[in-house]
């Protein structure tokens, strides 16, 4: 079965200081339990803020390092999910369900891409 990487993009400036609402955390927990039991979820995690990250760039035969936060970024990757699904349609269905558990005032974008195997 194909595997898909879902990159979760967020606007760090609009993340609630106290984290997700208790209701959203409950909904997320239920969905993650369901998708794991279904054998679709292989791995998932949130990421630390971009202020704690470093970009490493290879250009012109040299490496350069830029510590976060990254001022030019309106959206950053806030997390990921590694799914194994029958096809892209199934991966998108689970992703849609993931997005719908978020509180309405949040803006979250998910980029779903199939992993190129062998």
């Amino acid at each position: 079965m194909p595997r898909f990487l879902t990159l979760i993009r967020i606007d760090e400036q609009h993340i609630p200081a106290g984290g997700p609402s208790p209701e959203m955390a409950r909904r997320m927990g239920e969905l993650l339990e369901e998708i794991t039991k279904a054998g679709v979820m292989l791995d998932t995690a949130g990421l630390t803020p971009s202020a704690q990250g470093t970009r490493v760039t290879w250009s012109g035969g040299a490496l350069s390092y830029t510590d976060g936060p990254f001022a030019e970024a309106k959206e950053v990757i806030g997390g990921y999910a590694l799914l194994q699904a029958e096809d892209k349609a199934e991966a998108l269905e689970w992703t849609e369900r993931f997005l719908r558990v978020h509180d309405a005032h949040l803006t979250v974008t998910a980029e779903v891409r199939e992993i190129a195997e062998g």
Side-chain angles (χ1 to χ4, degrees):
M1 286 201 322
R3 295 183 305 154
F4 297 87
L5 179 64
T6 303
L7 301 171
I8 310 303
R9 297 183 186 274
I10 59 171
D11 180 346
E12 285 184 315
Q13 296 177 348
H14 293 98
I15 296 175
S21 69
E23 181 62 23
M24 181 182 145
R26 182 192 60 74
R27 292 189 309 263
M28 184 67 69
E30 289 172 356
L31 178 63
L32 291 177
E33 184 177 335
E34 181 182 351
I35 192 171
T36 300
K37 283 182 179 178
V40 174
M41 180 68 72
L42 300 177
D43 190 26
T44 188
L47 302 175
T48 59
S50 67
Q52 297 174 19
T54 301
R55 285 188 181 161
V56 183
T57 303
W58 174 257
S59 179
L63 290 171
S64 64
Y65 300 84
T66 306
D67 289 331
F70 309 113
E72 70 278 6
K74 288 189 175 183
E75 291 182 331
V76 299
I77 298 173
Y80 71 92
L82 181 59
L83 309 177
Q84 187 167 18
E86 292 289 330
D87 53 25
K88 188 175 182 180
E90 182 185 11
L92 289 172
E93 286 176 30
W94 284 108
T95 301
E96 289 170 10
R97 291 185 60 192
F98 167 80
L99 291 173
R100 290 181 188 278
V101 303
H102 287 79
D103 293 330
H105 67 276
L106 297 174
T107 299
V108 182
T109 302
E111 179 180 335
V112 180
R113 297 178 60 185
E114 186 171 351
I115 296 173
E117 304 282 359

